[in-house]
Amino acid sequence: MTTLGAVFRPQVPPERLRAVARLADDVGLEELWLWEDCFLEGGISTAAAALAWTERVRVGVGLLPVPLRNVAVTAMEAATLYRLFPGRAVLGVGHGVQDWMGQVGARAESPLTLLREHLVALRALLRGERVTTDGRYVNLDDVALDWPPPADAGIPVFAGGTGPRTLRLTGEAADGTILTASTSPDGVRRARGLIDEGRAAAGRTEPHPVVVYLLAATGPDAVARLRAELAAEGLESVPDLGVAGDAGAVAKAVQRLAEAGADSVILQPTGDEPDPEAFVRFTAEEVRPLVP
């Protein structure tokens, strides 16, 4: 079955998160995803709050920009969330937006090398291993977590990617991949192929879930809002991106992504979505019953 979720976008003030998260829990939303976009809201702080305010909804962070974070800090925070809220936290890491990384003096000369080193060290630390590594960007000297997740927890580390080399890397070094809303169904198929190339190169055979964001709008002005957001992102000429309409139209768009290889489709409201709570309710109560 395709997992269906929704994004709480960081353009919404953080004080709105409590109501949205509690509603997501109440209406049976499977997953609520958060973003750590510069310079809006912190991914770990919002995830911890959302998890504490709820009982069952899974909370994802997609994604934490690795240039901003020492891998030991990422591991400590991830392990804490996983132990406090077993089975309910999902964390993804990635390059981050390079212009933003430049603004804070954290832009890496080789983002791919940094992400690879971060993923390898992060997954090892979360497995409870003691790590010593002297990489180009990641340097650890006899580091181990005192409170790692339980050894049998099977904690997945997701990574975001768009380009071919990064997608191959996610297949090789991550446990799942996050694709942006600029990914069409054909793009999902291509991404799956690249991810599988990376998995094969690393000899990995375990399942590798793919999460895809789907830009969605509903209501009387849905088409105009969707078009405006795609135009602002320079994506208005890309076919099969986003969906505007009722639950039936959105469910069909979700199914197209699922048929292309998405395991989870996360509905991403437009940045000017007027009612985030109503969007969550729409996702859980109207779209979910129509998605196999």
Side-chain angles (χ1 to χ4, degrees), residues 158-291:
F158 283 68
T162 55
R165 292 194 299 165
T166 302
L167 289 169
R168 290 189 188 96
L169 174 60
T170 68
E172 176 186 344
D175 302 306
T177 299
I178 302 169
L179 302 176
T180 70
S182 63
T183 312
S184 67
D186 283 343
V188 174
R189 292 186 186 92
R190 289 192 295 271
R192 268 289 187 189
L194 293 163
I195 292 164
D196 286 343
E197 288 178 17
R199 295 176 67 217
R204 301 187 67 176
T205 58
E206 70 274 26
H208 185 103
V210 171
V211 177
V212 185
Y213 294 126
L214 172 63
L215 185 63
T218 191
D221 58 349
V223 172
R225 288 193 289 112
L226 179 70
R227 287 176 177 170
E229 179 131 338
L230 289 173
E233 297 292 331
L235 299 171
E236 67 270 29
S237 63
V238 180
D240 298 324
L241 286 188
V243 58
D246 61 11
V250 175
K252 288 178 181 178
V254 170
Q255 188 61 23
R256 287 193 291 271
L257 290 171
E259 290 170 352
D263 297 288
S264 300
V265 178
I266 311 301
L267 300 187
Q268 172 183 321
T270 58
D272 60 353
E273 165 59 50
D275 193 338
E277 290 88 351
F279 187 86
V280 165
R281 187 180 293 278
F282 168 75
T283 302
E285 296 184 344
E286 298 186 44
V287 181
R288 172 73 270 179
L290 303 179
V291 175

Side-chain angles (χ1 to χ4, degrees), residues 29-249:
L29 187 73
E30 292 157 88
E31 296 185 350
L32 181 68
W33 281 72
L34 311 169
W35 296 350
E36 186 167 84
D37 279 359
C38 297
F39 299 94
L40 296 164
E41 295 163 7
I44 296 295
S45 55
T46 51
L51 288 161
W53 287 325
T54 56
E55 297 293 335
R56 47 151 305 280
V57 66
R58 283 164 58 89
V59 175
V61 181
L63 44 76
L64 302 170
V66 297
L68 292 179
R69 294 177 171 273
N70 183 287
V71 69
V73 175
T74 308
M76 290 163 58
E77 293 186 322
T80 300
L81 288 183
Y82 293 146
R83 291 182 68 107
L84 287 173
F85 309 101
R88 293 183 53 217
V90 184
L91 296 185
V93 298
H95 297 310
V97 176
Q98 294 306 296
D99 286 347
W100 292 340
M101 300 303 100
Q103 281 183 268
V104 298
R107 189 166 188 162
E109 184 176 341
S110 177
L112 199 69
T113 300
L114 169 56
L115 183 57
R116 178 187 299 277
E117 293 179 358
H118 197 102
L119 280 168
V120 170
L122 177 59
R123 292 178 67 238
L125 289 168
L126 291 176
R127 289 193 300 265
E129 297 177 13
R130 185 168 296 277
V131 180
T132 295
T133 183
D134 183 17
R136 182 174 179 180
Y137 297 103
V138 175
N139 295 276
L140 299 174
D141 181 11
D142 196 34
V143 174
L145 297 177
D146 285 292
W147 294 106
D152 60 351
I155 302 302
V157 175
F158 283 68
T162 55
R165 292 194 299 165
T166 302
L167 289 169
R168 290 189 188 96
L169 174 60
T170 68
E172 176 186 344
D175 302 306
T177 299
I178 302 169
L179 302 176
T180 70
S182 63
T183 312
S184 67
D186 283 343
V188 174
R189 292 186 186 92
R190 289 192 295 271
R192 268 289 187 189
L194 293 163
I195 292 164
D196 286 343
E197 288 178 17
R199 295 176 67 217
R204 301 187 67 176
T205 58
E206 70 274 26
H208 185 103
V210 171
V211 177
V212 185
Y213 294 126
L214 172 63
L215 185 63
T218 191
D221 58 349
V223 172
R225 288 193 289 112
L226 179 70
R227 287 176 177 170
E229 179 131 338
L230 289 173
E233 297 292 331
L235 299 171
E236 67 270 29
S237 63
V238 180
D240 298 324
L241 286 188
V243 58
D246 61 11

